[in-house]
Amino acid sequence: RQAHYAALKSKPSVTRDGTEITLLHNSGLVADLPMLNDTGAAGVGLFRTELQFMIASRLPRLQEQVDLYAEAMRIAGDRPLVFRLLDIGGDKVVPYLRATAEENPAMGYRSIRLGLDRPGLLRTQIRALLIAAAGRPLKILVPMVTETFEFTQTRIVVKREVERLRRAGEPVPERIELGAMVEVPSLLFELDRLLPETDFVSIGSNDLVQFLTAADRSNPRVSRAYDPIALPRLRAIKLVVDAGRRYNIPVTMCGELAGRPVEALALMAIGMTRLSMGPGSIGPIKELVLNLDLEPVHQSVMAALTDGADGVGIRDLLAEWIDKQ
Ligand code: PEP
Ligand code: MG
């Protein structure tokens, strides 16, 4: 299978009926990055910067962060790489940073909430990213945005750090793109406010589905409730896809579902063309893309979305499409 997938890596990622699908890696360790050359992925859609913090025993210093980001960018080369700002808390435990126990850590003091509340941490990370870029373009993703306000606050922090760098006579990235993760359901009802502020958007379905369904993403006993492509969830995801079209803002899916064939097919069927996944999933998903006539799948999923057949129905429908290929 490995050899078979390797043979696909240099083929353009386009469906049989001509829709281009951009396939990207989810990553967080520099050691994973050379795999870009093996998979032929277009870049890194999600680099989870908290991993460096999770495997350390104390706060990584500015220079340690700079070194990691610079090395990641060096390996990615011309391929785009999206650095996600620290997403600490919830399932991502950094013991030396969590002072108080919380009853619901997934819904607690985490991620950009923590970042804006402890600006030293956020500032240092943004400074490290800017220094590591050394004048090259930089893409930064803000996790767990609940209100557009948090996103615009983060942009202010970025601007301040850029100014600081400029005053010091250091090179400033030629272009900085700041994106928001859509993974808190409330943001679905604020897309018209958020999207004009963002350069790109990334859907974190792992959390989005957890919060939409009130079903813990890591609890197997509620995995049935968690189904990410049941119609209500697919409709929610489609709201983001459609808003991205309206505002001409690229939308990437970076939740784990993008790397699973049935789920990826559902996403492509609702118009998603940028999928970020674990490197091991690129081969199978690329194969799916290359064999796919998307239009008829799009038609039947759209019909299911409007007719309101239940979630199990759509999973069966899509599995059948895949079998037919
Ligand atoms: C997500 O929530 O879907 C996501 C991509 O981020 P993480 O899994 O790191 O929370
Ligand atoms: Mg998340």
Side-chain angles (χ1 to χ4, degrees), residues 29 45 95 108 153 191-192 208 234 269 271 278 299 303 317-318:
L29 296 171
Q153 277 297 110
L191 293 170
D192 288 303
L208 183 63
L234 217 45
Q299 295 297 345
L317 180 96
L318 294 168

Side-chain angles (χ1 to χ4, degrees), residues 257-268:
L257 85 172
R260 296 198 295 264
V262 169
E263 283 82 351
L265 187 55
L267 296 172
M268 291 187 275

Side-chain angles (χ1 to χ4, degrees), residues 229-290:
I229 59 162
L231 292 175
R233 268 73 84 191
L234 217 45
R235 288 191 191 107
I237 294 168
K238 191 164 177 297
L239 289 176
V240 188
V241 177
D242 294 349
R245 289 245 168 86
R246 281 202 303 284
Y247 291 94
N248 200 17
I249 294 284
V251 176
T252 303
M253 169 57 76
C254 64
E256 299 312 320
L257 85 172
R260 296 198 295 264
V262 169
E263 283 82 351
L265 187 55
L267 296 172
M268 291 187 275
I270 59 166
M272 209 124 213
T273 58
R274 300 177 55 83
L275 305 175
S276 194
M277 62 197 74
S281 298
I282 297 280
I285 300 298
K286 179 89 173 263
E287 179 164 51
L288 173 67
V289 168
L290 295 177

Side-chain angles (χ1 to χ4, degrees), residues 84 87 92 110 144 181 183 204 206-207 217:
R84 178 174 71 183
D87 186 15
K92 295 144 189 114
R110 59 173 289 203
M144 278 295 284
M181 281 193 82
E183 53 182 346
N206 304 337
D207 279 309
R217 60 191 272 180

Side-chain angles (χ1 to χ4, degrees), residues 83-97:
F83 289 103
R84 178 174 71 183
L85 295 175
L86 286 174
D87 186 15
I88 286 168
D91 57 321
K92 295 144 189 114
V93 182
V94 176
Y96 54 89
L97 271 184

Side-chain angles (χ1 to χ4, degrees), residues 121-140:
L121 204 60
L122 183 65
R123 263 200 313 264
T124 304
Q125 180 176 35
I126 290 173
R127 194 170 298 173
L129 287 165
L130 292 169
I131 295 171
R136 290 169 293 191
L138 182 62
K139 292 177 194 287
I140 301 177

Side-chain angles (χ1 to χ4, degrees), residues 193-208:
R193 180 139 156 56
L194 175 75
L195 265 64
E197 305 286 342
T198 57
D199 299 310
F200 64 95
V201 158
S202 210
I203 305 177
S205 61
N206 304 337
D207 279 309
L208 183 63

Side-chain angles (χ1 to χ4, degrees), residues 24-47:
L24 302 149
H25 284 193
N26 287 346
S27 185
L29 296 171
V30 166
D32 294 345
L33 291 178
M35 269 196 274
L36 283 169
N37 301 322
D38 307 327
T39 64
V44 178
L46 172 70
F47 189 88

